[in-house]
Structures are given as structure tokens and as C-alpha cells.
């Protein structure tokens, strides 16, 4: 049983990371319909921010985290300004910004890979190796609680909802569409960066870490469904438990265990294509 | 105008005569950069040391350094460029497949080429190129040395862990073959995939199998660090025996506090007199501490210098003949090891010249085993 509890704590922490990445996707998809695979690279930038501020310059932890996330928000906002808004303003189809954001993905990764050494770089723990999982879980719960309150209880969150329901009608009702889009990108980048910052003490900061995170987060999102904020967290947790329980308990050779969650995803999509949680 | 041409012809020629050109093909941005960069620093340091002592055959050594990004397609073109620029030897310190591709040029252009660091076994077996030598320790020698050390421990039940990279899988397969041949039972065999966020489930499974030791065949640094973290977090006590990947000094910083007591195979003995002299000279010249990888580049340049000296000329055929007669003790290798190519062989690293070392604290520490007997 102790074995299972250790595993459950670890899987919950991994699931929280996947859930945060899924939330980053969701924040952008809801109001805009744009799937942004660059969220993985934003998580990577967050991890490097952690290395840069917390390890190299040894800033106090809360300050370093806040600065890194603020930087990511700015980066997300700039991305929207440079790579998304000009396309939308000219009436490009939705596929155009998705492709442009794939370009952003490559540029971000290359920029990091030429500015830092090629080896994985250390990022310090918030409280030490044993406590990192609980730190991840705590911070993630706070973020999700915040996101839920934002969408359910604030007028701003409501305007996001309205935009996601019907862009044209929302604009006619006086909602500032460009501002909602910009905010969603800034928020998405901030959440993705936070995921990178939280996972990096375990995985180290590495310029190739973005794509696996982007895939895991997207899988979590598909499982949970884009309809509700809680879906992202639920999807992340399910994915992480499926992964780690398979590796630990399934009687199959080590190399094959990694394929099981993807099988799980395929089956899941067939049985429930809209995701676990339905929009309200 | 005419005068200028004559001037250039006379003196241009004199300048060209003045240096001995050595080509260096390295990787500055690709996957091999963590290895290639320190090795190249070793080559440069060796050339500087030679020049401070008056050069070779009374002439200065000039390095022409090219970056192939570890890409075989670029590599051959760069080898051709270096040959056209008149190099008498090419030293290759990027990835094995790139070095292999360069051979197509050096074989045809009859230009001596050597790699002091590449470990792929196929470099001297696939092409019969009399102008190519390999002095890096072969992959098969590394595995044999690590397992020879493990045999002295009389393990009956061990675990094996690796990552899902090509090289990690290949090393794990080699470990598995050799372990099984020695009658050692593999009670758990686990894989950590690239980009994983934890290795706890794998390490739990290994703990449940209760092995006497664990063999680590992975080569992805970040994933190896995950394994060490899970090992510490679960409070595991069995010893870890690792491939040469742990000899890369990056672990001293990125796995701080996690690696004490791990044994790994290496080609570097810090207690060897040649190493002490090399480290002192390097610190004095650059103000920095060299790492084991620096020694590979240093030895490569010094082996070439030794061959040119004995050839007494920069004639490529004479250098080739001299290189084949090499008997040279360098920085790399166990105490007393000499590089040599007896019986027409072109792999120069003594199969008994590798060592097993242990991490002491966060530093790569003492040698605990030598050779593969």
C-alpha cells in the first residue's frame, strides 16, 4: 500500500503538470478557437526562466517565479500581437494563426537553444526534493480555483464565455474582442510557463522539453474536454495515472508501457469524442 | 603591378611553407556539442603548447577548425575543403556518423585522418581506409570494462534501466547480452521515455524486484537525472553501475547531491602522472580546470605531432607510415597505457586501458577498477 501511495502522490503531481498545460491550451481555445502547440515551448521558456533567475542569479523563490511568469505573460501578449492579430484582422481562416504559432514554436526553441548551453540545466526546488510534489499540487489547485472563479464569478470571465459562445454576438454586445484574445494569450502563456517552472526542478531545463509537454497537455485536454476548466485538470490526472500505473503494475516489458496511455486515448475518443466533462 | 604579383608569389609561398596545417572538424551547435566543445579546447591547447615549444619540424602548427553540426552531409564537404586548403592531417571530434562520412574524402585524397574520441565500433571495420585511425575507446570495450568490474562483486540478480533513445537502447541490449552470458539474472528491465516527468514508477518496480545492483544504460542526461532523483527519493540502497555517459562532467552540476557512490566507466585516471601534468599546464595556460573530454582532444593533437616528428616531413605518405608505428603514452587511459596500432590495426586504444571510477560527493572521484580481465 505504501508503494501505491508513493506512486499516487507522484502521479498526482505529474497530472497537475499535464493539467496546467491543458489549461494553457484551453484558455486560448475557448475564446479564439485556436489550438496553440507553442504552449509546450512556453513551458520550456518558463523552465529556463527558473534556471536563469533562481539558479544563476539566486533570486528569492517567490520573486523569481513571479518575474518568470510575468515575462511569459508578456511573451504571450506579444505573440498574439505579432503572429495572431494581423492574420485575424485580415480575415484569414483559423488555420492561418495555428500554422503561424507552429512557426513561433520553432523560433522559440531555436532562440533558447542558441542562447543557453546544450546540456540540461538545474532549477532549484522550492522546498526540497521530497516536497516538490506537494508544492506542485498546491500551486496547481490554486491556479485552477482561480481560473474557475474567474470564469464563473467575474464579469471578465463571463465576457470570455460570451466570446466562446458566439464571437459576433459578443462583439455586438460591446465586448472588446481583441482585448479578450490578447488576454487569453497572456494568460495561456503565464499558465504554461508556470507548468514549466514547476516541473523543471525534476526534469531540469532543456531546450527539447517543450514538445513532450505539449503532447501530454493536449492529450489531457482531449480527455477532459475543452468545455470546462475542471476538465483540463481531470484529464491531466487521468492521463498521469494511466501512464504510471501501467509502468508500475502492468505485466508488460518496460519499453511497451509508454504506448498504453495513447491506446487509452484512442479508445477514449471513440467512446466519448467530446471529452469527459460536457459544457454547462 | 607585375612587381606585386612576384612579391605575392615569393612571399605567399614562403608563408604557406611556414605553418603545418591541421584540419579540425568539430560540432559547435549540434547534438555532439557537449562532447565536441571540450575536446576541441584540448586540441587548441595542445597546438598552443607545441607552438610555444617551437612548433613541429621548426614550423608552427596552424589549426583550421570547421563546424559540421554533427551532420554527415556537411561533414564530407568540409573534409574536402580542408584537403583543398592543404592540411596534412584531419582530426575529427564530432559525431561518429559524421566522422565516417569524412573518411570517404580522406581515403580518396590519401590524407591522414584520426578521431581521438569517437567510440563507434564500425569506424574501422566498414571501410578499409589505411589513412584513418581511431584512438577513442570502443563502445564494446566500455561495456566489457564495466561488466568486468561488476563480475568481481558476484552479483546474481541485477536490474537494468535505460531510455528510449537509439543509443540508450543499443547500450542496454549490449549490457543485457553480456550479463546473461555471465549467468547473471536480470530481474527487472525498465525504460524511461524521453520527456518523462518522473521515473518513480520504474524505480518502484525495480525496488519490488529486489536486485543486488542496477545497471544504467541511458544516455539522455535529463532522464538519467530523473532516475537518480527517484532513487534518492525512494531511499534505495543498491549500487548503480553506469555507462560512460556518466563520465560527462555535466552531471556534477545538474545532478548535484544525487550521484555520490555511483560507479561509471571512464578513460581518465586523475591520479596518473600524465594527467596531473596536463591538468596543471592547462590551468596555468587557461585559468580553468580541464575535464576528461579535454584530454581526448589533447591526446589526438599530440599523437599527430608525434607521427609528424617521427616522419621528419609533412609528406602525407610518410606521416601515414609513421602513424601506424605509434607507441605513445597520453593523458587518456589507465596508468601505463600506450596508444598503438600493432599488426596493421587502426584502433589504438588498449582494450584493457579503461577504468571504472566512482562519484565522491558531486565530483568524479577515484579509480576502483582497471581493464576488463
Amino acid at each position: 500500500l505504501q508503494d501505491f501511495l508513493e506512486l499516487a502522490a507522484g502521479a498526482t503531481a505529474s497530472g497537475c503538470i499535464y493539467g496546467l498545460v491543458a489549461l494553457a491550451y484551453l484558455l486560448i481555445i475557448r475564446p479564439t478557437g485556436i489550438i496553440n502547440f507553442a504552449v509546450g515551448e512556453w513551458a520550456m521558456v518558463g523552465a529556463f526562466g527558473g534556471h536563469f533567475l533562481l539558479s544563476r542569479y539566486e533570486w528569492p523563490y517567490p520573486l523569481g517565479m513571479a518575474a518568470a511568469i510575468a515575462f511569459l505573460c508578456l511573451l504571450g501578449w506579444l505573440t498574439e500581437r505579432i503572429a495572431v492579430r494581423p492574420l485575424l484582422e485580415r480575415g484569414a481562416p483559423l488555420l492561418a494563426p495555428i500554422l503561424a504559432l507552429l512557426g513561433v514554436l520553432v523560433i522559440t526553441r531555436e532562440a533558447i537553444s542558441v542562447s543557453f548551453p546544450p546540456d540540461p540545466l538545474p532549477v532549484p526546488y522550492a522546498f526540497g526534493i521530497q516536497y516538490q510534489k506537494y508544492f506542485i499540487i498546491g500551486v496547481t489547485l490554486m491556479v485552477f480555483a482561480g481560473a474557475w472563479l474567474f470564469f464563473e464569478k467575474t464579469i471578465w470571465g463571463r465576457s470570455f464565455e460570451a466570446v466562446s459562445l458566439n464571437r459576433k454576438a459578443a462583439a455586438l454586445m460591446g465586448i472588446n474582442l481583441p482585448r479578450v484574445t490578447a488576454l487569453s494569450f497572456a494568460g495561456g502563456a503565464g499558465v504554461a510557463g508556470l507548468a514549466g517552472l514547476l516541473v523543471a526542478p525534476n526534469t531540469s531545463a532543456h531546450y527539447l522539453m517543450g514538445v513532450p509537454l505539449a503532447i501530454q497537455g493536449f492529450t489531457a485536454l482531449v480527455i477532459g474536454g475543452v468545455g470546462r476548466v475542471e476538465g483540463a485538470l481531470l484529464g491531466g490526472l487521468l492521463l498521469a495515472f494511466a501512464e504510471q500505473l501501467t509502468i508500475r503494475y502492468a505485466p508488460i516489458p518496460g519499453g511497451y508501457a509508454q504506448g498504453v496511455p495513447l491506446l487509452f486515448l484512442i479508445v477514449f475518443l471513440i467512446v466519448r469524442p467530446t471529452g469527459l466533462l460536457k459544457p454547462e | 603591378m607585375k612587381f606585386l604579383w612576384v612579391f605575392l608569389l615569393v612571399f605567399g609561398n614562403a608563408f604557406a611553407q611556414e605553418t603545418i596545417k591541421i584540419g579540425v572538424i568539430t560540432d559547435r551547435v549540434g547534438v555532439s556539442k557537449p562532447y565536441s566543445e571540450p575536446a576541441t579546447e584540448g586540441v587548441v591547447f595542445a597546438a598552443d603548447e607545441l607552438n610555444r615549444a617551437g612548433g613541429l619540424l621548426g614550423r608552427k602548427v596552424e589549426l583550421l577548425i570547421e563546424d559540421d553540426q554533427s551532420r554527415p552531409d556537411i561533414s564530407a564537404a568540409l573534409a574536402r575543403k580542408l584537403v583543398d586548403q592543404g592540411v596534412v592531417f584531419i582530426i575529427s571530434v564530432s559525431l561518429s556518423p559524421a566522422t565516417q562520412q569524412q573518411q570517404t574524402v580522406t581515403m580518396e585524397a590519401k590524407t591522414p585522418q584520426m578521431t581521438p574520441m569517437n567510440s563507434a565500433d564500425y569506424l574501422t571495420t566498414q571501410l578499409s581506409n589505411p589513412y584513418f585511425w581511431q584512438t577513442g575507446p570502443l563502445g564494446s570495450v566500455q561495456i566489457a570494462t564495466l561488466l568486468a568490474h561488476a563480475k568481481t562483486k558476484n552479483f546474481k540478480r541485477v536490474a537494468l534501466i535505460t531510455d528510449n533513445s537509439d543509443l540508450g537502447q543499443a547500450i542496454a541490449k549490449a549490457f543485457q547480452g553480456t550479463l546473461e552470458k555471465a549467468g547473471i539474472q536480470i530481474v527487472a528491465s525498465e525504460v524511461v521515455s524521453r520527456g518523462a516527468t518522473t521515473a518513480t514508477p520504474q524505480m518502484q518496480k525495480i525496488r519490488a524486484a529486489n536486485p543486488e545492483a542496477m545497471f544504467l544504460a541511458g544516455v539522455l542526461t535529463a532522464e538519467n537525472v530523473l532516475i537518480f532523483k527517484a532513487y534518492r527519493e525512494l531511499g534505495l540502497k543498491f549500487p548503480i553501475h553506469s555507462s560512460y555517459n556518466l563520465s560527462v562532467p555535466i552531471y556534477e552540476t545538474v545532478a548535484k547531491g544525487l550521484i555520490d557512490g555511483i560507479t561509471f566507466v571512464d578513460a581518465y585516471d586523475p591520479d596518473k602522472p600524465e594527467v596531473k601534468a596536463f591538468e596543471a599546464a592547462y590551468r596555468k595556460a587557461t585559468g580553468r580546470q580541464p575535464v576528461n573530454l579535454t584530454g581526448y582532444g589533447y591526446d589526438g593533437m599530440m599523437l599527430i605531432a608525434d607521427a609528424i616528428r617521427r616522419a621528419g616531413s609533412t609528406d602525407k605518405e610518410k606521416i601515414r607510415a609513421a602513424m601506424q608505428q605509434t607507441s605513445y603514452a597520453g593523458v587518456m587511459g589507465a596508468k601505463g597505457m600506450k596508444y598503438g596500432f600493432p599488426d596493421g590495426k587502426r584502433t589504438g586504444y588498449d582494450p584493457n586501458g579503461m577504468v571504472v571510477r566512482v562519484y565522491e560527493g558531486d565530483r568524479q572521484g577515484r579509480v576502483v577498477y582497471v581493464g576488463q580481465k
Side-chain angles (χ1 to χ4, degrees):
Chain A
L1 181 71
Q2 196 212 342
D3 198 84
F4 177 76
L5 288 179
E6 279 168 1
L7 188 71
T12 308
S14 293
C16 285
I17 298 294
Y18 301 166
L20 282 175
V21 179
L23 179 64
Y25 278 110
L26 187 136
L27 285 177
I28 296 170
I29 289 179
R30 291 281 301 270
T32 64
I34 294 170
I35 301 171
N36 174 19
F37 288 105
V39 291
E41 306 310 309
W42 284 341
M44 185 263 293
V45 174
F48 275 87
H51 166 74
F52 194 71
L53 297 174
L54 301 173
S55 190
R56 199 178 292 180
Y57 288 105
E58 297 186 355
W59 282 24
Y61 218 95
L63 186 65
M65 270 183 85
I69 292 167
F71 175 75
L72 259 302
C73 289
L74 184 70
L75 189 67
W77 180 79
L78 273 176
T79 304
E80 195 271 337
R81 266 297 155 92
I82 296 166
V84 177
R85 190 173 299 186
L87 298 174
L88 291 181
E89 275 173 358
R90 277 170 219 165
L94 215 50
L95 196 59
I98 293 176
L99 290 175
L101 286 165
L102 282 178
V104 170
L105 181 158
V106 174
I107 292 167
T108 312
R109 182 170 65 208
E110 295 302 309
I112 291 286
S113 87
V114 297
S115 344
F116 285 89
D119 296 303
L121 299 166
V123 179
Y125 287 103
F127 299 105
I129 182 165
Q130 319 85 298
Y131 305 115
Q132 185 69 16
K133 343 187 222 286
Y134 307 110
F135 182 64
I136 292 175
I137 295 168
V139 172
T140 305
L141 286 180
M142 273 158 53
V143 169
F144 271 93
W148 184 82
L149 283 175
F150 175 77
F151 279 114
E152 299 294 325
K153 304 286 174 211
T154 68
I155 185 86
W156 269 103
R158 283 284 157 207
S159 68
F160 268 59
E161 284 295 315
V163 173
S164 75
L165 287 174
N166 190 330
R167 280 181 78 83
K168 227 172 232 164
L172 287 172
M173 300 304 285
I175 291 173
N176 186 341
L177 275 187
R179 192 184 293 167
V180 167
T181 312
L183 262 180
S184 75
F185 269 81
V191 171
L194 178 67
L197 252 177
L198 289 173
V199 78
N202 279 329
T203 61
S204 326
H206 190 253
Y207 71 98
L208 293 176
M209 70 190 284
V211 169
L213 278 176
I215 294 172
Q216 286 152 344
F218 191 69
T219 311
L221 183 72
V222 170
I223 293 174
V226 292
R228 278 161 62 182
V229 171
E230 313 89 279
L233 184 58
L234 194 64
L237 290 172
L238 272 175
L239 175 65
F241 272 89
E243 264 179 10
Q244 300 193 15
L245 290 175
T246 317
I247 293 173
R248 174 67 187 90
Y249 296 112
I252 48 176
Y256 297 102
Q258 40 183 296
V260 172
L262 296 173
L263 267 176
F264 177 63
L265 175 69
I266 293 171
V267 173
F268 196 89
L269 277 176
I270 294 169
V271 177
R272 196 155 183 142
T274 52
L276 213 54
L277 296 186
K278 289 228 174 78
E280 280 160 359
Chain B
M1 194 64 198
K2 206 171 199 176
F3 173 76
L4 186 69
W5 276 114
V6 172
F7 177 88
L8 274 179
L9 267 176
V10 173
F11 287 91
N13 216 8
F15 286 134
Q17 280 292 319
E18 219 166 67
T19 65
I20 295 180
K21 287 181 186 156
I22 308 289
V24 182
I25 299 184
T26 183
D27 174 5
R28 288 194 160 136
V29 293
V31 289
S32 181
K33 176 177 165 160
Y35 303 84
S36 303
E37 217 163 58
T40 308
E41 283 164 11
V43 174
V44 172
F45 170 66
D48 286 348
E49 199 175 82
L50 287 167
N51 285 337
R52 274 199 300 274
L56 279 177
L57 312 175
R59 290 153 66 179
K60 294 269 184 219
V61 174
E62 182 188 358
L63 296 179
L64 304 181
I65 302 179
E66 296 288 351
D67 168 22
D68 73 357
Q69 308 165 33
S70 284
R71 285 172 55 185
D73 50 333
I74 298 182
S75 213
L78 289 176
R80 174 68 62 190
K81 179 177 167 193
L82 288 170
V83 168
D84 289 347
Q85 287 174 335
V87 300
V88 298
F89 220 118
I90 290 177
I91 178 166
S92 311
V93 288
S94 74
L95 209 62
S96 291
T99 302
Q100 182 77 332
Q101 208 58 37
Q102 292 156 30
Q103 285 201 57
T104 58
V105 174
T106 56
M107 187 155 81
E108 188 263 330
K110 297 192 180 354
T111 300
Q113 176 199 356
M114 68 93 68
T115 173
M117 186 171 71
N118 290 157
S119 62
D121 282 55
Y122 59 74
L123 286 174
T124 55
T125 58
Q126 285 182 351
L127 283 173
S128 166
N129 176 5
Y131 295 88
F132 176 82
W133 298 269
Q134 176 179 23
T135 57
L138 296 180
S140 53
V141 171
Q142 304 178 6
I143 291 165
T145 305
L146 187 69
L147 290 168
H149 170 241
K151 253 186 215 165
T152 65
K153 309 274 182 191
N154 288 318
F155 295 133
K156 300 272 177 292
R157 304 157 46 80
V158 300
L160 180 59
I161 193 163
T162 189
D163 54 50
N164 62 347
S165 68
D166 296 351
L167 190 55
Q169 291 284 315
I171 295 176
K173 210 172 238 172
F175 273 17
Q176 191 184 347
T178 322
L179 285 167
E180 279 168 356
K181 218 168 19 176
I184 300 170
Q185 193 194 353
I186 299 172
V187 292
S189 177
E190 290 301 310
V191 179
V192 178
S193 54
R194 192 192 288 262
T197 54
T198 176
T200 302
Q202 285 92 340
M203 293 306 288
Q204 282 187 326
K205 206 167 169 188
I206 286 175
R207 177 177 66 182
N210 194 23
E212 294 163 292
M214 182 177 85
F215 283 81
L216 172 64
V219 294
L220 302 176
T221 309
E223 284 67 19
N224 280 347
V225 174
L226 282 179
I227 292 170
F228 301 144
K229 281 181 175 156
Y231 174 85
R232 294 287 167 205
E233 218 181 342
L234 297 175
L236 301 176
K237 293 281 180 272
F238 51 72
I240 298 179
H241 296 258
S242 165
S243 77
Y244 64 91
N245 182 256
L246 259 279
S247 72
V248 182
I250 182 66
Y251 286 98
E252 294 183 350
T253 49
V254 80
K256 217 175 221 141
L258 301 171
I259 44 182
D260 183 40
I262 294 177
T263 51
F264 62 98
V265 66
D266 198 1
Y268 197 73
D269 180 352
D271 286 332
K272 194 167 129 170
E274 288 91 340
V275 172
K276 286 189 166 152
F278 162 69
E279 289 190 344
Y282 192 89
R283 270 197 304 268
K284 201 177 153 214
T286 66
R288 286 176 297 135
Q289 174 73 16
V291 296
N292 45 12
L293 300 170
T294 328
Y296 283 117
Y298 181 82
D299 274 4
M301 185 61 231
M302 286 308 187
L303 280 162
I304 292 172
D306 175 62
I308 293 176
R309 264 195 211 110
R310 283 183 290 107
S313 138
T314 52
D315 178 66
K316 289 197 237 177
E317 201 49 51
K318 284 186 181 148
I319 294 174
R320 190 203 66 77
M323 188 73 183
Q324 195 64 47
Q325 302 305 319
T326 291
S327 172
Y328 178 87
V331 169
M332 306 308 291
K335 280 183 191 126
M337 187 196 95
K338 280 188 168 182
Y339 294 106
F341 310 99
D343 313 321
K345 271 201 316 193
R346 289 176 294 111
T347 48
Y349 196 95
D350 182 345
N352 282 305
M354 289 205 87
V355 298
V356 177
R357 294 172 69 188
V358 58
Y359 273 95
E360 295 167 329
D362 288 322
R363 308 234 59 91
Q364 299 185 337
R366 65 184 193 283
V367 168
V368 294
Y369 193 79
V370 179
Q372 49 170 288
K373 277 171 193 149

